[in-house]
Amino acid sequence: MATRMKWYADRVRRYTHTGPQAAHRIASVQAAGIAAQAVRSKGTGALARDVSRPRFVGFLRAVVGSTLPYARIQNF
């Protein structure tokens, strides 16, 4: 005889929100680290430090980049 499973709101949230968000944060930090290594190999430490911190802008959304004025020049 099969029994029904009772789903609680906190358990549903853990499977649909908390778990994926934690995995996304780990992946974002790793991507930022890779970008910082690429920038660091070209020379500037301040730019690499700025790139190494992802900015989380929403659920499962992050931006890796720099707000320094010379970052755009360095990119091109």
Side-chain angles (χ1 to χ4, degrees):
M1 182 161 125
T3 60
R4 293 183 135 200
M5 185 172 186
K6 199 172 206 179
W7 287 95
Y8 296 102
D10 64 330
R11 187 165 294 194
V12 171
R13 189 172 22 264
R14 182 175 31 193
Y15 293 134
T16 61
H17 185 76
T18 308
Q21 185 69 17
H24 181 262
R25 284 187 182 273
I26 291 169
S28 297
V29 168
Q30 288 176 346
I34 292 168
Q37 283 179 341
V39 170
R40 196 172 291 121
S41 68
K42 293 179 184 172
T44 107
L47 183 57
R49 280 190 302 276
D50 196 38
V51 170
S52 69
R53 289 179 241 125
R55 288 160 190 82
F56 298 98
V57 294
F59 180 66
L60 298 182
R61 295 197 185 265
V63 176
V64 175
S66 177
T67 57
L68 294 175
Y70 58 87
R72 188 174 183 91
I73 298 167
Q74 191 77 320
N75 190 34
F76 294 105

